[in-house]
Structure formats: structure tokens, C-alpha cells
């Protein structure tokens, strides 16, 4: 995790990158892959450094970000399959949580991951549109919450830290899943009607 002093620029980058993904993810899919590859690579890179070594964390985040960006940019079909797998796992968890409070069995999750992957490869355009709209919407929410909550670094060090996840909002934040779904649907509609139309 990067030092607290970098919270504001990273939160702004999350909001801007998420908005681009949400509203123009299909048209800019490879660029979105590079952005999310950079974010994931930076997170992985900065995680291997000690928290007291701020300079090393920044360098590791930049190196990891560049590597992640390059890998995802060139792994187009792999990325589509991963989006489908992720959406399949999400459907399995959301559907199972309507029936039980426990996590779904591994076999059910694997089945939905495989079905999501196959569907993603067959219906690439629509999976990319829905996947980028909802991941972009979630990135916007994460960045916006980081901008609003200036005490996030302090909260992250607390023993009862809440992990930001769409279907388990923190107490007092029941609006988060609703906002995520609304933003995702708006992004999907914009992409289907304007930015993601076939030329």
C-alpha cells in the first residue's frame, strides 16, 4: 500500500480512470486494460516493499504498474476470458447469497466461472461493455470514497477495517451497492448507445 501522502492523486486517478472505463470502455478497451494493468501491477509492486521505505514503494509501484500494463495490453483474449470468469464468479456469489449467508460451494463457483469464460469469448462486445461499465463504476466509487474520506489511511490501520466490496457495504453506506448498479447501468447504456456502437 502506498504512503498516505499519495492518497489524493491516486484517488483522483481512480475516479478519472473509472469514469473512462465506465463510459467508453469498449471503444478504449485496450487502453482500459493498460490502465487496470497498471493499477494492479502498482498495487502488487508496492505490496512487496516495507511501509517505512516510501521511495522504494513508489519505484516498485511504478515498475509493477508498467509490467502489469504491458501484460494486460497484449493479453486481449486472456483479459476477455478473465472478465467473463470474474462476472461468472460474481453471479455465483450474488445468486448464492440470496439463498444462504455462506459462500457458494467451490463446484458451483467453478461452474459459473467456466460458463462466464465461454460466454465472454462468444459474446465479446457485450461482455466488454458490461464488464468495463461495472468495473469502471466501482473504480469511480472507490476513488470518490477515498477523496471524501480523508481519514482512510488512519482507518486502514484499525483492527476492524472494512474492505470495500459491492455487496457488503460498511454500516451507514447501504447506498454503495445501489450507486454501483446505477452507475454501471448508465455506463452500459452510454456504451451501447454512443461510445460502444459498431462503426
Amino acid at each position: 500500500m502506498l504512503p498516505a501522502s499519495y492518497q489524493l492523486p491516486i484517488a483522483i486517478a481512480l475516479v478519472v480512470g473509472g469514469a473512462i472505463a465506465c463510459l467508453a470502455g469498449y471503444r478504449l478497451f485496450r487502453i482500459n486494460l493498460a490502465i487496470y494493468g497498471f493499477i494492479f501491477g502498482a498495487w502488487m509492486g508496492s505490496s512487496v516493499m516495507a511501509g517505512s521505505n516510501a521511495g522504494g514503494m513508489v519505484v516498485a509501484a511504478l515498475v509493477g504498474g508498467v509490467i502489469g500494463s504491458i501484460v494486460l495490453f497484449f493479453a486481449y483474449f486472456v483479459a476477455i476470458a478473465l472478465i467473463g470468469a470474474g462476472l461468472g464468479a460474481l453471479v455465483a456469489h450474488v445468486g448464492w447469497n440470496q439463498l444462504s449467508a455462506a459462500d457458494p460451494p467451490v463446484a458451483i463457483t467453478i461452474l459459473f466461472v467456466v460458463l462466464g469464460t465461454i460466454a465472454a469469448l462468444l459474446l465479446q462486445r457485450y461482455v466488454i461493455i458490461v464488464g468495463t461499465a461495472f468495473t469502471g463504476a466501482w473504480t469511480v466509487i472507490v476513488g470518490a470514497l477515498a477523496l471524501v474520506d480523508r481519514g482512510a489511511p488512519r482507518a486502514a490501520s484499525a483492527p476492524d477495517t472494512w474492505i470495500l466490496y459491492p455487496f457488503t457495504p460498511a454500516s451507514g453506506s447501504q447506498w454503495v451497492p445501489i450507486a454501483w448498479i446505477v452507475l454501471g447501468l448508465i455506463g452500459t447504456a452510454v456504451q451501447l448507445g454512443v461510445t460502444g456502437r459498431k462503426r
Side-chain angles (χ1 to χ4, degrees):
M1 178 173 270
L2 290 171
S5 59
Y6 296 101
Q7 178 189 353
L8 182 62
I10 291 190
I12 291 170
L14 287 174
V15 171
V16 172
I20 291 170
C22 184
L23 300 173
Y26 180 73
R27 170 93 26 110
L28 306 171
F29 185 61
R30 287 192 187 254
I31 294 170
N32 275 309
L33 287 178
I35 290 170
Y36 280 99
F38 186 87
I39 291 170
F40 182 73
W43 171 66
M44 292 295 289
S46 66
S47 297
V48 299
M49 299 300 291
S52 59
N53 185 0
M57 288 180 73
V58 171
V59 170
L62 289 174
V63 170
V66 169
I67 291 171
S69 188
I70 291 170
V71 167
L72 275 190
F73 182 82
F74 289 109
Y76 179 80
F77 287 108
V78 173
I80 292 171
L82 288 174
I83 288 172
L87 289 174
L90 178 68
V91 168
H93 278 275
V94 171
W96 193 266
N97 284 339
Q98 303 304 316
L99 304 172
S100 168
D103 287 337
V106 175
I108 298 288
T109 304
I110 290 172
L111 174 67
F112 275 87
V113 165
V114 169
L115 291 175
T117 302
I118 293 169
L121 293 173
L122 293 175
L123 305 168
Q124 288 180 26
R125 177 176 181 264
Y126 299 104
V127 169
I128 291 170
I129 288 174
V130 172
T132 56
F134 279 88
T135 55
W138 189 243
T139 306
V140 167
I141 290 173
V142 169
L145 287 175
L147 283 173
V148 171
D149 182 17
R150 300 296 301 201
R154 188 173 56 253
S157 63
D160 61 345
T161 302
W162 166 68
I163 306 288
L164 196 60
Y165 184 71
F167 296 105
T168 56
S171 57
S173 299
Q174 278 69 31
W175 59 270
V176 170
I178 296 166
W180 175 57
I181 290 169
V182 168
L183 277 176
L185 291 174
I186 290 171
T188 300
V190 168
Q191 288 192 58
L192 285 173
V194 182
T195 60
R197 272 202 279 188
K198 291 184 178 178
R199 295 177 182 173

